[in-house]
Amino acid sequence: MSRIEIVGLTQQFKDHRAVDNIDLTIEDGDFVVLLGPSGCGKTTLLRMIAGLLDPTSGQILIDGQDVTHLPAKKRNLAMVFQSYALYPHLSVEKNLAFPLNVLKVSKEEKRERVLGAARALGLESLLHRKPRELSGGQRQRVAVGRALVREPSAYLMDEPLSNLDAKLRTNTRQELSELHDRLSATFVYVTHDQVEAMTMATKIVILNGGRIEQIGTPEQVYDAPASIFVAGFVGSPPMNLLEGSLSTRDGHVQATALGSTSRLWPGTCPEHKVTIGFRAEHLRLEEAETGAVRIDGVIHQIENLGGEQVAYIKVGDHTVVAKCGREVTLERGERFTAGVRAANVHLFDQATGRRMEWVEEPAPALADAL
Ligand SMILES: Nc1ncnc2c1ncn2[C@@H]1O[C@H](COP(=O)(O)OP(=O)(O)O)[C@@H](O)[C@H]1O
Ligand SMILES: [Mg+2]
């Protein structure tokens, strides 16, 4: 059981601010993924939560108790790292039991907790093996098991799957999700891999340059990215982003990009520089005539992904990416005309990089920026 509250947390390394004034509440039972590119401050933030790094300023509360300056061992949190340093000369059972040696736990309880963790992670038949006799995935499970035996109030994990091969990563992702469901514990998980974030998180926190860009469910982050950064970071292929402008004509808001103008919604708005975003799967052939944004270009490259295909369309100097089913016949060098429905068009203020929302009430207007 653990609710973690972070208030104004900052880490200043000499002239570099790795974590910049972060406010974040992690509810009991959340699976929070801290997601962002390398160097954005994920590990630094996690280490401060763990008590391995003293914050420059700000506060950390666990279940209401201020733990900001409490040493790691007094926080009852378990940390699982990318490199799962198991003791090579000890069996799986002894590796699992190791963290209990420093706690005052009876022999019977120790045995019980080790078996409980082994059962939870499917390691029962491997208890007598040495780490070198295990696969990478099994070793990673032992590392998680070592956190489990301590029965911590929350699990902190820093890129625990990044040393595993692709197939194993997929399996272990599922195992971690199941484990989270079973334990109903709080997980704080660091990764730069958006697929891990999308598949496991109940809440994703997207970090950029030590600051939070967006907090949301995987759906919110994908369907309504709060900034150009998030739009470009989440999703594969990333969202198409075109520089353009908004203006009003004949009672409609219109967008101009790539030299052509398209009608978005009824309403008015002052002239404004925007970035127009749409996902590859929302660029559809059947919207070529009717779409709010229309694309007319030449197919430059096609990638076959098995179940679907991704086409790179040259429109002037720009490349736009489309994703469609394999039943659609695409040929390199052929013309490609398609469109995006207004509901699937995202607008971002070019000056601030933030999302602009179209609101109907009381009068149609763009919230935020305008
Ligand atoms: N001990 C340190 N001293 C100075 N700079 C550091 C230290 N640890 C991390 N940094 C810097 O802080 C930034 C964030 O690092 P980190 O939290 O490790 O990023 P991430 O885990 O997101 O890749 C990076 O620019 C990194 O170089
Ligand atoms: Mg890191």
Short mmCIF file of all heavy atoms in Angstrom, two decimals, residues 11-14 16-19 36-47 53 158-159 190-192 207, ligand 1:
data_model
loop_
_atom_site.label_atom_id
_atom_site.label_comp_id
_atom_site.label_asym_id
_atom_site.label_seq_id
_atom_site.Cartn_x
_atom_site.Cartn_y
_atom_site.Cartn_z
N GLN A 11 16.29 18.51 -9.03
CA GLN A 11 17.66 18.03 -8.84
C GLN A 11 18.58 18.85 -9.73
O GLN A 11 18.47 18.83 -10.96
CB GLN A 11 17.77 16.54 -9.22
CG GLN A 11 19.13 15.94 -9.00
CD GLN A 11 19.57 15.96 -7.54
OE1 GLN A 11 20.54 16.62 -7.17
NE2 GLN A 11 18.84 15.25 -6.69
N GLN A 12 19.44 19.60 -9.09
CA GLN A 12 20.38 20.44 -9.81
C GLN A 12 21.77 19.81 -9.70
O GLN A 12 22.30 19.66 -8.61
CB GLN A 12 20.38 21.84 -9.17
CG GLN A 12 21.29 22.84 -9.81
CD GLN A 12 20.65 23.51 -11.02
OE1 GLN A 12 19.43 23.71 -11.06
NE2 GLN A 12 21.44 23.83 -12.03
N PHE A 13 22.33 19.41 -10.86
CA PHE A 13 23.72 18.92 -10.88
C PHE A 13 24.58 20.07 -11.38
O PHE A 13 24.52 20.40 -12.56
CB PHE A 13 23.89 17.74 -11.85
CG PHE A 13 23.17 16.49 -11.44
CD1 PHE A 13 22.21 15.92 -12.27
CD2 PHE A 13 23.47 15.85 -10.24
CE1 PHE A 13 21.57 14.75 -11.92
CE2 PHE A 13 22.83 14.67 -9.89
CZ PHE A 13 21.87 14.12 -10.72
N LYS A 14 25.34 20.68 -10.57
CA LYS A 14 26.17 21.83 -10.98
C LYS A 14 25.34 22.77 -11.86
O LYS A 14 24.39 23.37 -11.39
CB LYS A 14 27.45 21.36 -11.69
CG LYS A 14 28.41 20.64 -10.75
CD LYS A 14 29.86 20.78 -11.23
CE LYS A 14 30.81 20.05 -10.31
NZ LYS A 14 30.87 18.59 -10.60
N HIS A 16 23.53 21.87 -14.43
CA HIS A 16 22.48 21.17 -15.18
C HIS A 16 21.32 20.79 -14.27
O HIS A 16 21.51 20.13 -13.25
CB HIS A 16 23.06 19.92 -15.83
CG HIS A 16 22.07 19.16 -16.64
ND1 HIS A 16 21.55 19.65 -17.81
CD2 HIS A 16 21.47 17.97 -16.43
CE1 HIS A 16 20.68 18.78 -18.29
NE2 HIS A 16 20.61 17.75 -17.47
N ARG A 17 20.12 21.22 -14.65
CA ARG A 17 18.94 20.87 -13.86
C ARG A 17 18.31 19.62 -14.47
O ARG A 17 17.63 19.68 -15.49
CB ARG A 17 17.97 22.05 -13.87
CG ARG A 17 16.80 21.83 -12.93
CD ARG A 17 16.08 23.11 -12.64
NE ARG A 17 16.88 23.97 -11.78
CZ ARG A 17 16.39 24.95 -11.03
NH1 ARG A 17 15.10 25.19 -11.03
NH2 ARG A 17 17.18 25.67 -10.27
N ALA A 18 18.55 18.47 -13.85
CA ALA A 18 18.11 17.19 -14.43
C ALA A 18 16.63 16.97 -14.18
O ALA A 18 15.93 16.37 -15.01
CB ALA A 18 18.92 16.05 -13.83
N VAL A 19 16.14 17.42 -13.03
CA VAL A 19 14.71 17.32 -12.72
C VAL A 19 14.28 18.71 -12.25
O VAL A 19 14.90 19.29 -11.37
CB VAL A 19 14.44 16.25 -11.63
CG1 VAL A 19 13.01 16.33 -11.13
CG2 VAL A 19 14.74 14.86 -12.17
N GLY A 36 10.30 8.87 -21.47
CA GLY A 36 10.93 10.02 -22.13
C GLY A 36 12.25 9.60 -22.73
O GLY A 36 12.77 8.51 -22.44
N PRO A 37 12.80 10.45 -23.58
CA PRO A 37 14.06 10.10 -24.25
C PRO A 37 15.21 10.04 -23.26
O PRO A 37 15.09 10.52 -22.13
CB PRO A 37 14.26 11.25 -25.25
CG PRO A 37 13.50 12.39 -24.68
CD PRO A 37 12.35 11.80 -23.94
N SER A 38 16.31 9.48 -23.69
CA SER A 38 17.49 9.37 -22.85
C SER A 38 17.93 10.76 -22.37
O SER A 38 17.91 11.71 -23.13
CB SER A 38 18.59 8.71 -23.69
OG SER A 38 19.77 8.70 -22.96
N GLY A 39 18.24 10.85 -21.09
CA GLY A 39 18.73 12.11 -20.54
C GLY A 39 17.65 13.07 -20.05
O GLY A 39 17.96 14.17 -19.62
N CYS A 40 16.38 12.64 -20.08
CA CYS A 40 15.30 13.56 -19.71
C CYS A 40 15.08 13.62 -18.20
O CYS A 40 14.25 14.39 -17.73
CB CYS A 40 14.01 13.21 -20.44
SG CYS A 40 13.24 11.71 -19.84
N GLY A 41 15.80 12.79 -17.43
CA GLY A 41 15.71 12.89 -15.98
C GLY A 41 14.94 11.77 -15.30
O GLY A 41 14.68 11.84 -14.10
N LYS A 42 14.61 10.70 -16.04
CA LYS A 42 13.81 9.61 -15.47
C LYS A 42 14.52 8.94 -14.30
O LYS A 42 13.95 8.76 -13.23
CB LYS A 42 13.51 8.54 -16.55
CG LYS A 42 12.86 9.07 -17.80
CD LYS A 42 12.65 7.98 -18.84
CE LYS A 42 13.90 7.34 -19.41
NZ LYS A 42 14.71 8.21 -20.27
N THR A 43 15.77 8.54 -14.54
CA THR A 43 16.52 7.82 -13.50
C THR A 43 16.73 8.72 -12.29
O THR A 43 16.58 8.28 -11.14
CB THR A 43 17.86 7.32 -14.07
OG1 THR A 43 17.58 6.35 -15.09
CG2 THR A 43 18.72 6.66 -12.99
N THR A 44 17.04 9.97 -12.54
CA THR A 44 17.27 10.92 -11.45
C THR A 44 16.02 11.04 -10.59
O THR A 44 16.09 11.00 -9.35
CB THR A 44 17.68 12.29 -12.03
OG1 THR A 44 18.81 12.10 -12.88
CG2 THR A 44 18.02 13.27 -10.94
N LEU A 45 14.86 11.15 -11.23
CA LEU A 45 13.60 11.25 -10.49
C LEU A 45 13.36 9.98 -9.67
O LEU A 45 13.02 10.03 -8.48
CB LEU A 45 12.44 11.51 -11.47
CG LEU A 45 11.03 11.57 -10.90
CD1 LEU A 45 10.93 12.60 -9.78
CD2 LEU A 45 10.02 11.91 -12.01
N LEU A 46 13.58 8.82 -10.30
CA LEU A 46 13.34 7.55 -9.60
C LEU A 46 14.29 7.39 -8.41
O LEU A 46 13.88 6.92 -7.34
CB LEU A 46 13.51 6.38 -10.58
CG LEU A 46 12.91 5.07 -10.11
CD1 LEU A 46 11.38 5.15 -10.16
CD2 LEU A 46 13.37 3.90 -10.96
N ARG A 47 15.55 7.81 -8.60
CA ARG A 47 16.53 7.68 -7.51
C ARG A 47 16.18 8.58 -6.34
O ARG A 47 16.42 8.24 -5.19
CB ARG A 47 17.94 7.97 -8.03
CG ARG A 47 18.49 6.82 -8.89
CD ARG A 47 19.79 7.21 -9.60
NE ARG A 47 20.83 7.59 -8.64
CZ ARG A 47 21.62 6.73 -8.01
NH1 ARG A 47 21.48 5.43 -8.22
NH2 ARG A 47 22.53 7.15 -7.17
N LEU A 53 19.24 9.45 -3.83
CA LEU A 53 19.77 10.75 -4.25
C LEU A 53 18.97 11.82 -3.51
O LEU A 53 17.74 11.78 -3.49
CB LEU A 53 19.57 10.87 -5.77
CG LEU A 53 20.15 12.06 -6.49
CD1 LEU A 53 21.67 12.03 -6.44
CD2 LEU A 53 19.71 12.01 -7.97
N ASP A 158 13.84 0.54 -13.00
CA ASP A 158 14.52 1.39 -13.98
C ASP A 158 14.94 0.55 -15.19
O ASP A 158 15.90 -0.20 -15.12
CB ASP A 158 15.75 2.05 -13.33
CG ASP A 158 16.29 3.18 -14.19
OD1 ASP A 158 15.83 3.34 -15.34
OD2 ASP A 158 17.18 3.90 -13.70
N GLU A 159 14.18 0.69 -16.28
CA GLU A 159 14.45 -0.02 -17.53
C GLU A 159 14.79 -1.49 -17.30
O GLU A 159 15.81 -1.98 -17.81
CB GLU A 159 15.61 0.66 -18.29
CG GLU A 159 15.43 2.17 -18.36
CD GLU A 159 15.45 2.75 -19.75
OE1 GLU A 159 15.43 1.97 -20.73
OE2 GLU A 159 15.45 3.98 -19.86
N VAL A 190 10.43 3.08 -15.05
CA VAL A 190 11.11 3.99 -15.96
C VAL A 190 11.43 3.30 -17.28
O VAL A 190 11.94 2.18 -17.28
CB VAL A 190 12.43 4.49 -15.33
CG1 VAL A 190 13.38 5.06 -16.38
CG2 VAL A 190 12.15 5.53 -14.25
N THR A 191 11.13 3.95 -18.39
CA THR A 191 11.54 3.41 -19.68
C THR A 191 11.59 4.52 -20.73
O THR A 191 10.96 5.56 -20.58
CB THR A 191 10.58 2.30 -20.16
OG1 THR A 191 11.09 1.74 -21.37
CG2 THR A 191 9.18 2.82 -20.42
N HIS A 192 12.37 4.28 -21.80
CA HIS A 192 12.33 5.20 -22.93
C HIS A 192 11.52 4.54 -24.06
O HIS A 192 11.37 5.10 -25.12
CB HIS A 192 13.75 5.51 -23.42
CG HIS A 192 14.45 4.30 -23.97
ND1 HIS A 192 15.14 3.43 -23.16
CD2 HIS A 192 14.52 3.80 -25.21
CE1 HIS A 192 15.62 2.44 -23.91
NE2 HIS A 192 15.25 2.65 -25.15
N LEU A 207 8.21 12.80 -19.75
CA LEU A 207 9.19 13.78 -19.31
C LEU A 207 10.01 14.27 -20.50
O LEU A 207 10.29 13.52 -21.43
CB LEU A 207 10.15 13.14 -18.30
CG LEU A 207 9.55 12.75 -16.94
CD1 LEU A 207 10.54 11.93 -16.16
CD2 LEU A 207 9.14 13.99 -16.16
N1 LIG B 1 25.47 12.48 -10.98
C1 LIG B 1 25.26 13.29 -12.01
N2 LIG B 1 26.02 14.42 -12.17
C2 LIG B 1 25.82 15.26 -13.19
N3 LIG B 1 24.87 15.09 -14.14
C3 LIG B 1 24.10 14.00 -14.06
C4 LIG B 1 24.25 13.03 -12.99
N4 LIG B 1 23.33 12.05 -13.17
C5 LIG B 1 22.65 12.38 -14.28
N5 LIG B 1 23.10 13.54 -14.81
C6 LIG B 1 22.57 14.22 -16.01
O1 LIG B 1 21.21 14.50 -15.76
C7 LIG B 1 20.43 14.27 -16.92
C8 LIG B 1 19.33 13.26 -16.63
O2 LIG B 1 19.94 12.00 -16.42
P1 LIG B 1 19.09 10.70 -16.15
O3 LIG B 1 18.16 10.97 -15.03
O4 LIG B 1 20.05 9.58 -15.98
O5 LIG B 1 18.30 10.55 -17.50
P2 LIG B 1 17.44 9.31 -18.07
O6 LIG B 1 17.37 8.26 -17.02
O7 LIG B 1 16.13 9.90 -18.45
O8 LIG B 1 18.18 8.86 -19.31
C9 LIG B 1 21.38 13.84 -18.00
O9 LIG B 1 21.72 14.97 -18.77
C10 LIG B 1 22.57 13.33 -17.23
O10 LIG B 1 23.75 13.49 -17.96
#
